Amino acid sequence: MDVADLQALLPAGEPAFRARQIYEALYAKRIAALSEVTTLAKALRTDLEARCEMGHLGRNSRFDSRDGTRRYLLGLHDAKSVEAVFMPEEARDTLCLSTQVGCPVDCKFCLTALMGLERNLTAGEIVGQVLHLAQDNNLWADQKRINIVLMGQGEPLLNLPAVLKATRILCDARGVGIVQRRITVSTAGIIPKIYELAQAEIRPRLAISLNGSNEEQRRELMPITRKYHLRDLMQACKDYPLRPWEKLTFEYVLLRDVNDAEVDARRVVQLVANLNCKVNLIALNPGPGIPYQTPDPDRVAAFQSIVMKSVPCFVRRPRGLDIYAACGQLKRMESLVTVSPAIAELFAEDEDD
Ligand code: SAH
């Protein structure tokens, strides 16, 4: 709920600042129960408690990786569950959030795709992931350390109203207080929604999952390309109104002998060279039922060195591979299959800020 929602909840005649008080208690003080909103009169507190539930997400399980990453399986009110990932680093902490339960986009290299879509998350369930992870990891001291990536389960742009509402609540300095430029949304390329996102006053940074170096290859890997062509996606990127501090990010999952050749790297350069952007390479994180292999590190390095000549290019270090928390591995896995440490060692280089 935002301030207006809370206002509507209050009995007629309550002054407007009451909604603000509840809002701050919920999102800035992170109270556990409405009885803790001590700025309200007792009678109003009791009334609210009788009529409302806090809606905090329950914890079904937490998996801790040896690299410090934590994957959470969080319970929703309808007995569904969704994943969120906490990734601590020296200079920052990154929270990876889900925007849908499952995902309707059938990318051939991603485990979440195998779930299909169960439902959209509400703005409350998106913000709720942040509150839960912040609470559990005691992230109070400096909200400026917190980065949020909407890169968990789901295609965020197919749930845009909830994503934008959650972003407004997360960025409100009087609420959760996350810095707007530290929130990034990633899309498989839902073109009309990219134009819609561009209109929002408060919006995350934009990342595009490119993953193919030409139309045909991308169609194979991301069948959604049949509907939203790569050519039109690149046009949407050209049209996208970047703010002064902003760059577009392109993500590119490298699949051995599929899209990891030098010719692919050169085609990627042609696609993005005229854009204010950076490229994040992700060597495939493997999973059961995924018919692709991870490229060798020298292949990744060769690809990077070609792209880097034109635009900044980083290799995303996988986090929580051993607990199925890395990119493309979120599928509510309850039992853990061991991933070879050799895979975890493939990646040395860090992403930039
Ligand atoms: N649906 C959105 C949000 C998910 S972001 C999107 O497609 O952008 C997750 C990122 O992980 C995407 O860039 C996706 O291309 C990448 N990814 C998916 N499966 C992967 C895998 N098995 N290994 C590495 N990266 C993967």
mmCIF file with all atom_site columns, all heavy atoms in Angstrom, residues 307-323:
data_model
loop_
_atom_site.group_PDB
_atom_site.id
_atom_site.type_symbol
_atom_site.label_atom_id
_atom_site.label_alt_id
_atom_site.label_comp_id
_atom_site.label_asym_id
_atom_site.label_entity_id
_atom_site.label_seq_id
_atom_site.pdbx_PDB_ins_code
_atom_site.Cartn_x
_atom_site.Cartn_y
_atom_site.Cartn_z
_atom_site.occupancy
_atom_site.B_iso_or_equiv
_atom_site.pdbx_formal_charge
_atom_site.auth_seq_id
_atom_site.auth_comp_id
_atom_site.auth_asym_id
_atom_site.auth_atom_id
_atom_site.pdbx_PDB_model_num
ATOM 1   N N   . VAL A 1 307 ? 33.964 -7.447  -27.571 1.00 0.00 ? 307 VAL A N   1
ATOM 2   C CA  . VAL A 1 307 ? 32.900 -6.476  -27.260 1.00 0.00 ? 307 VAL A CA  1
ATOM 3   C C   . VAL A 1 307 ? 33.487 -5.230  -26.582 1.00 0.00 ? 307 VAL A C   1
ATOM 4   O O   . VAL A 1 307 ? 33.091 -4.099  -26.862 1.00 0.00 ? 307 VAL A O   1
ATOM 5   C CB  . VAL A 1 307 ? 31.798 -7.118  -26.379 1.00 0.00 ? 307 VAL A CB  1
ATOM 6   C CG1 . VAL A 1 307 ? 30.737 -6.088  -26.017 1.00 0.00 ? 307 VAL A CG1 1
ATOM 7   C CG2 . VAL A 1 307 ? 31.170 -8.315  -27.094 1.00 0.00 ? 307 VAL A CG2 1
ATOM 8   N N   . MET A 1 308 ? 34.472 -5.489  -25.724 1.00 0.00 ? 308 MET A N   1
ATOM 9   C CA  . MET A 1 308 ? 35.060 -4.410  -24.914 1.00 0.00 ? 308 MET A CA  1
ATOM 10  C C   . MET A 1 308 ? 35.708 -3.307  -25.738 1.00 0.00 ? 308 MET A C   1
ATOM 11  O O   . MET A 1 308 ? 35.855 -2.185  -25.280 1.00 0.00 ? 308 MET A O   1
ATOM 12  C CB  . MET A 1 308 ? 36.101 -4.999  -23.973 1.00 0.00 ? 308 MET A CB  1
ATOM 13  C CG  . MET A 1 308 ? 35.879 -4.632  -22.538 1.00 0.00 ? 308 MET A CG  1
ATOM 14  S SD  . MET A 1 308 ? 36.731 -5.732  -21.417 1.00 0.00 ? 308 MET A SD  1
ATOM 15  C CE  . MET A 1 308 ? 38.381 -5.694  -22.015 1.00 0.00 ? 308 MET A CE  1
ATOM 16  N N   . LYS A 1 309 ? 36.091 -3.664  -26.968 1.00 0.00 ? 309 LYS A N   1
ATOM 17  C CA  . LYS A 1 309 ? 36.712 -2.645  -27.825 1.00 0.00 ? 309 LYS A CA  1
ATOM 18  C C   . LYS A 1 309 ? 35.713 -1.550  -28.168 1.00 0.00 ? 309 LYS A C   1
ATOM 19  O O   . LYS A 1 309 ? 36.090 -0.424  -28.502 1.00 0.00 ? 309 LYS A O   1
ATOM 20  C CB  . LYS A 1 309 ? 37.240 -3.291  -29.105 1.00 0.00 ? 309 LYS A CB  1
ATOM 21  C CG  . LYS A 1 309 ? 38.461 -4.155  -28.845 1.00 0.00 ? 309 LYS A CG  1
ATOM 22  C CD  . LYS A 1 309 ? 39.154 -4.544  -30.145 1.00 0.00 ? 309 LYS A CD  1
ATOM 23  C CE  . LYS A 1 309 ? 40.232 -5.570  -29.859 1.00 0.00 ? 309 LYS A CE  1
ATOM 24  N NZ  . LYS A 1 309 ? 39.956 -6.866  -30.485 1.00 0.00 ? 309 LYS A NZ  1
ATOM 25  N N   . SER A 1 310 ? 34.420 -1.869  -28.094 1.00 0.00 ? 310 SER A N   1
ATOM 26  C CA  . SER A 1 310 ? 33.402 -0.873  -28.461 1.00 0.00 ? 310 SER A CA  1
ATOM 27  C C   . SER A 1 310 ? 32.597 -0.338  -27.294 1.00 0.00 ? 310 SER A C   1
ATOM 28  O O   . SER A 1 310 ? 32.293 0.845   -27.240 1.00 0.00 ? 310 SER A O   1
ATOM 29  C CB  . SER A 1 310 ? 32.429 -1.466  -29.480 1.00 0.00 ? 310 SER A CB  1
ATOM 30  O OG  . SER A 1 310 ? 33.122 -1.866  -30.623 1.00 0.00 ? 310 SER A OG  1
ATOM 31  N N   . VAL A 1 311 ? 32.213 -1.221  -26.385 1.00 0.00 ? 311 VAL A N   1
ATOM 32  C CA  . VAL A 1 311 ? 31.430 -0.783  -25.217 1.00 0.00 ? 311 VAL A CA  1
ATOM 33  C C   . VAL A 1 311 ? 31.956 -1.509  -23.979 1.00 0.00 ? 311 VAL A C   1
ATOM 34  O O   . VAL A 1 311 ? 32.524 -2.585  -24.085 1.00 0.00 ? 311 VAL A O   1
ATOM 35  C CB  . VAL A 1 311 ? 29.903 -1.076  -25.377 1.00 0.00 ? 311 VAL A CB  1
ATOM 36  C CG1 . VAL A 1 311 ? 29.300 -0.287  -26.508 1.00 0.00 ? 311 VAL A CG1 1
ATOM 37  C CG2 . VAL A 1 311 ? 29.639 -2.556  -25.547 1.00 0.00 ? 311 VAL A CG2 1
ATOM 38  N N   . PRO A 1 312 ? 31.740 -0.908  -22.789 1.00 0.00 ? 312 PRO A N   1
ATOM 39  C CA  . PRO A 1 312 ? 32.156 -1.603  -21.565 1.00 0.00 ? 312 PRO A CA  1
ATOM 40  C C   . PRO A 1 312 ? 31.496 -2.987  -21.505 1.00 0.00 ? 312 PRO A C   1
ATOM 41  O O   . PRO A 1 312 ? 30.315 -3.117  -21.825 1.00 0.00 ? 312 PRO A O   1
ATOM 42  C CB  . PRO A 1 312 ? 31.627 -0.710  -20.439 1.00 0.00 ? 312 PRO A CB  1
ATOM 43  C CG  . PRO A 1 312 ? 31.379 0.623   -21.067 1.00 0.00 ? 312 PRO A CG  1
ATOM 44  C CD  . PRO A 1 312 ? 31.099 0.381   -22.512 1.00 0.00 ? 312 PRO A CD  1
ATOM 45  N N   . CYS A 1 313 ? 32.277 -3.975  -21.144 1.00 0.00 ? 313 CYS A N   1
ATOM 46  C CA  . CYS A 1 313 ? 31.746 -5.339  -21.152 1.00 0.00 ? 313 CYS A CA  1
ATOM 47  C C   . CYS A 1 313 ? 32.297 -6.111  -19.954 1.00 0.00 ? 313 CYS A C   1
ATOM 48  O O   . CYS A 1 313 ? 33.510 -6.135  -19.741 1.00 0.00 ? 313 CYS A O   1
ATOM 49  C CB  . CYS A 1 313 ? 32.123 -6.017  -22.472 1.00 0.00 ? 313 CYS A CB  1
ATOM 50  S SG  . CYS A 1 313 ? 31.539 -7.712  -22.607 1.00 0.00 ? 313 CYS A SG  1
ATOM 51  N N   . PHE A 1 314 ? 31.401 -6.692  -19.179 1.00 0.00 ? 314 PHE A N   1
ATOM 52  C CA  . PHE A 1 314 ? 31.791 -7.379  -17.944 1.00 0.00 ? 314 PHE A CA  1
ATOM 53  C C   . PHE A 1 314 ? 31.286 -8.812  -17.971 1.00 0.00 ? 314 PHE A C   1
ATOM 54  O O   . PHE A 1 314 ? 30.324 -9.121  -18.665 1.00 0.00 ? 314 PHE A O   1
ATOM 55  C CB  . PHE A 1 314 ? 31.198 -6.655  -16.731 1.00 0.00 ? 314 PHE A CB  1
ATOM 56  C CG  . PHE A 1 314 ? 31.549 -5.202  -16.695 1.00 0.00 ? 314 PHE A CG  1
ATOM 57  C CD1 . PHE A 1 314 ? 30.748 -4.264  -17.325 1.00 0.00 ? 314 PHE A CD1 1
ATOM 58  C CD2 . PHE A 1 314 ? 32.719 -4.766  -16.085 1.00 0.00 ? 314 PHE A CD2 1
ATOM 59  C CE1 . PHE A 1 314 ? 31.092 -2.914  -17.331 1.00 0.00 ? 314 PHE A CE1 1
ATOM 60  C CE2 . PHE A 1 314 ? 33.071 -3.435  -16.077 1.00 0.00 ? 314 PHE A CE2 1
ATOM 61  C CZ  . PHE A 1 314 ? 32.253 -2.501  -16.709 1.00 0.00 ? 314 PHE A CZ  1
ATOM 62  N N   . VAL A 1 315 ? 31.964 -9.648  -17.203 1.00 0.00 ? 315 VAL A N   1
ATOM 63  C CA  . VAL A 1 315 ? 31.473 -11.016 -17.054 1.00 0.00 ? 315 VAL A CA  1
ATOM 64  C C   . VAL A 1 315 ? 30.830 -11.117 -15.681 1.00 0.00 ? 315 VAL A C   1
ATOM 65  O O   . VAL A 1 315 ? 31.465 -10.829 -14.665 1.00 0.00 ? 315 VAL A O   1
ATOM 66  C CB  . VAL A 1 315 ? 32.621 -12.051 -17.180 1.00 0.00 ? 315 VAL A CB  1
ATOM 67  C CG1 . VAL A 1 315 ? 32.079 -13.470 -17.011 1.00 0.00 ? 315 VAL A CG1 1
ATOM 68  C CG2 . VAL A 1 315 ? 33.312 -11.899 -18.523 1.00 0.00 ? 315 VAL A CG2 1
ATOM 69  N N   . ARG A 1 316 ? 29.575 -11.465 -15.658 1.00 0.00 ? 316 ARG A N   1
ATOM 70  C CA  . ARG A 1 316 ? 28.869 -11.542 -14.376 1.00 0.00 ? 316 ARG A CA  1
ATOM 71  C C   . ARG A 1 316 ? 29.322 -12.788 -13.615 1.00 0.00 ? 316 ARG A C   1
ATOM 72  O O   . ARG A 1 316 ? 29.271 -13.898 -14.133 1.00 0.00 ? 316 ARG A O   1
ATOM 73  C CB  . ARG A 1 316 ? 27.360 -11.589 -14.608 1.00 0.00 ? 316 ARG A CB  1
ATOM 74  C CG  . ARG A 1 316 ? 26.577 -11.542 -13.312 1.00 0.00 ? 316 ARG A CG  1
ATOM 75  C CD  . ARG A 1 316 ? 25.087 -11.527 -13.550 1.00 0.00 ? 316 ARG A CD  1
ATOM 76  N NE  . ARG A 1 316 ? 24.610 -10.292 -14.139 1.00 0.00 ? 316 ARG A NE  1
ATOM 77  C CZ  . ARG A 1 316 ? 23.363 -10.088 -14.541 1.00 0.00 ? 316 ARG A CZ  1
ATOM 78  N NH1 . ARG A 1 316 ? 22.479 -11.047 -14.443 1.00 0.00 ? 316 ARG A NH1 1
ATOM 79  N NH2 . ARG A 1 316 ? 23.000 -8.928  -15.050 1.00 0.00 ? 316 ARG A NH2 1
ATOM 80  N N   . ARG A 1 317 ? 29.798 -12.539 -12.418 1.00 0.00 ? 317 ARG A N   1
ATOM 81  C CA  . ARG A 1 317 ? 30.238 -13.646 -11.567 1.00 0.00 ? 317 ARG A CA  1
ATOM 82  C C   . ARG A 1 317 ? 29.006 -14.360 -11.023 1.00 0.00 ? 317 ARG A C   1
ATOM 83  O O   . ARG A 1 317 ? 28.113 -13.716 -10.489 1.00 0.00 ? 317 ARG A O   1
ATOM 84  C CB  . ARG A 1 317 ? 31.074 -13.081 -10.413 1.00 0.00 ? 317 ARG A CB  1
ATOM 85  C CG  . ARG A 1 317 ? 31.721 -14.078 -9.524  1.00 0.00 ? 317 ARG A CG  1
ATOM 86  C CD  . ARG A 1 317 ? 32.878 -13.396 -8.775  1.00 0.00 ? 317 ARG A CD  1
ATOM 87  N NE  . ARG A 1 317 ? 32.473 -12.097 -8.203  1.00 0.00 ? 317 ARG A NE  1
ATOM 88  C CZ  . ARG A 1 317 ? 32.124 -11.931 -6.934  1.00 0.00 ? 317 ARG A CZ  1
ATOM 89  N NH1 . ARG A 1 317 ? 32.117 -12.944 -6.107  1.00 0.00 ? 317 ARG A NH1 1
ATOM 90  N NH2 . ARG A 1 317 ? 31.797 -10.740 -6.482  1.00 0.00 ? 317 ARG A NH2 1
ATOM 91  N N   . PRO A 1 318 ? 28.919 -15.662 -11.182 1.00 0.00 ? 318 PRO A N   1
ATOM 92  C CA  . PRO A 1 318 ? 27.713 -16.334 -10.682 1.00 0.00 ? 318 PRO A CA  1
ATOM 93  C C   . PRO A 1 318 ? 27.708 -16.374 -9.164  1.00 0.00 ? 318 PRO A C   1
ATOM 94  O O   . PRO A 1 318 ? 28.746 -16.554 -8.550  1.00 0.00 ? 318 PRO A O   1
ATOM 95  C CB  . PRO A 1 318 ? 27.822 -17.744 -11.260 1.00 0.00 ? 318 PRO A CB  1
ATOM 96  C CG  . PRO A 1 318 ? 29.268 -17.948 -11.510 1.00 0.00 ? 318 PRO A CG  1
ATOM 97  C CD  . PRO A 1 318 ? 29.887 -16.604 -11.746 1.00 0.00 ? 318 PRO A CD  1
ATOM 98  N N   . ARG A 1 319 ? 26.568 -16.166 -8.571  1.00 0.00 ? 319 ARG A N   1
ATOM 99  C CA  . ARG A 1 319 ? 26.457 -16.191 -7.115  1.00 0.00 ? 319 ARG A CA  1
ATOM 100 C C   . ARG A 1 319 ? 25.505 -17.308 -6.716  1.00 0.00 ? 319 ARG A C   1
ATOM 101 O O   . ARG A 1 319 ? 24.439 -17.466 -7.290  1.00 0.00 ? 319 ARG A O   1
ATOM 102 C CB  . ARG A 1 319 ? 25.906 -14.860 -6.593  1.00 0.00 ? 319 ARG A CB  1
ATOM 103 C CG  . ARG A 1 319 ? 26.750 -13.639 -6.948  1.00 0.00 ? 319 ARG A CG  1
ATOM 104 C CD  . ARG A 1 319 ? 28.097 -13.620 -6.250  1.00 0.00 ? 319 ARG A CD  1
ATOM 105 N NE  . ARG A 1 319 ? 28.013 -13.803 -4.820  1.00 0.00 ? 319 ARG A NE  1
ATOM 106 C CZ  . ARG A 1 319 ? 27.999 -12.817 -3.926  1.00 0.00 ? 319 ARG A CZ  1
ATOM 107 N NH1 . ARG A 1 319 ? 28.074 -11.577 -4.329  1.00 0.00 ? 319 ARG A NH1 1
ATOM 108 N NH2 . ARG A 1 319 ? 27.918 -13.073 -2.639  1.00 0.00 ? 319 ARG A NH2 1
ATOM 109 N N   . GLY A 1 320 ? 25.917 -18.063 -5.714  1.00 0.00 ? 320 GLY A N   1
ATOM 110 C CA  . GLY A 1 320 ? 25.035 -19.092 -5.174  1.00 0.00 ? 320 GLY A CA  1
ATOM 111 C C   . GLY A 1 320 ? 24.759 -20.238 -6.120  1.00 0.00 ? 320 GLY A C   1
ATOM 112 O O   . GLY A 1 320 ? 23.697 -20.839 -6.090  1.00 0.00 ? 320 GLY A O   1
ATOM 113 N N   . LEU A 1 321 ? 25.749 -20.566 -6.970  1.00 0.00 ? 321 LEU A N   1
ATOM 114 C CA  . LEU A 1 321 ? 25.579 -21.692 -7.899  1.00 0.00 ? 321 LEU A CA  1
ATOM 115 C C   . LEU A 1 321 ? 25.281 -22.988 -7.157  1.00 0.00 ? 321 LEU A C   1
ATOM 116 O O   . LEU A 1 321 ? 24.524 -23.833 -7.626  1.00 0.00 ? 321 LEU A O   1
ATOM 117 C CB  . LEU A 1 321 ? 26.883 -21.892 -8.693  1.00 0.00 ? 321 LEU A CB  1
ATOM 118 C CG  . LEU A 1 321 ? 26.993 -21.333 -10.098 1.00 0.00 ? 321 LEU A CG  1
ATOM 119 C CD1 . LEU A 1 321 ? 28.344 -21.704 -10.669 1.00 0.00 ? 321 LEU A CD1 1
ATOM 120 C CD2 . LEU A 1 321 ? 25.888 -21.860 -10.999 1.00 0.00 ? 321 LEU A CD2 1
ATOM 121 N N   . ASP A 1 322 ? 25.917 -23.142 -5.977  1.00 0.00 ? 322 ASP A N   1
ATOM 122 C CA  . ASP A 1 322 ? 25.768 -24.397 -5.226  1.00 0.00 ? 322 ASP A CA  1
ATOM 123 C C   . ASP A 1 322 ? 24.392 -24.548 -4.579  1.00 0.00 ? 322 ASP A C   1
ATOM 124 O O   . ASP A 1 322 ? 24.034 -25.611 -4.106  1.00 0.00 ? 322 ASP A O   1
ATOM 125 C CB  . ASP A 1 322 ? 26.885 -24.520 -4.161  1.00 0.00 ? 322 ASP A CB  1
ATOM 126 C CG  . ASP A 1 322 ? 26.947 -23.288 -3.252  1.00 0.00 ? 322 ASP A CG  1
ATOM 127 O OD1 . ASP A 1 322 ? 26.458 -22.213 -3.651  1.00 0.00 ? 322 ASP A OD1 1
ATOM 128 O OD2 . ASP A 1 322 ? 27.494 -23.409 -2.141  1.00 0.00 ? 322 ASP A OD2 1
ATOM 129 N N   . ILE A 1 323 ? 23.620 -23.461 -4.559  1.00 0.00 ? 323 ILE A N   1
ATOM 130 C CA  . ILE A 1 323 ? 22.285 -23.550 -3.949  1.00 0.00 ? 323 ILE A CA  1
ATOM 131 C C   . ILE A 1 323 ? 21.185 -23.204 -4.952  1.00 0.00 ? 323 ILE A C   1
ATOM 132 O O   . ILE A 1 323 ? 20.070 -22.865 -4.588  1.00 0.00 ? 323 ILE A O   1
ATOM 133 C CB  . ILE A 1 323 ? 22.165 -22.619 -2.710  1.00 0.00 ? 323 ILE A CB  1
ATOM 134 C CG1 . ILE A 1 323 ? 22.517 -21.168 -3.084  1.00 0.00 ? 323 ILE A CG1 1
ATOM 135 C CG2 . ILE A 1 323 ? 23.042 -23.124 -1.551  1.00 0.00 ? 323 ILE A CG2 1
ATOM 136 C CD1 . ILE A 1 323 ? 22.046 -20.140 -2.065  1.00 0.00 ? 323 ILE A CD1 1
#
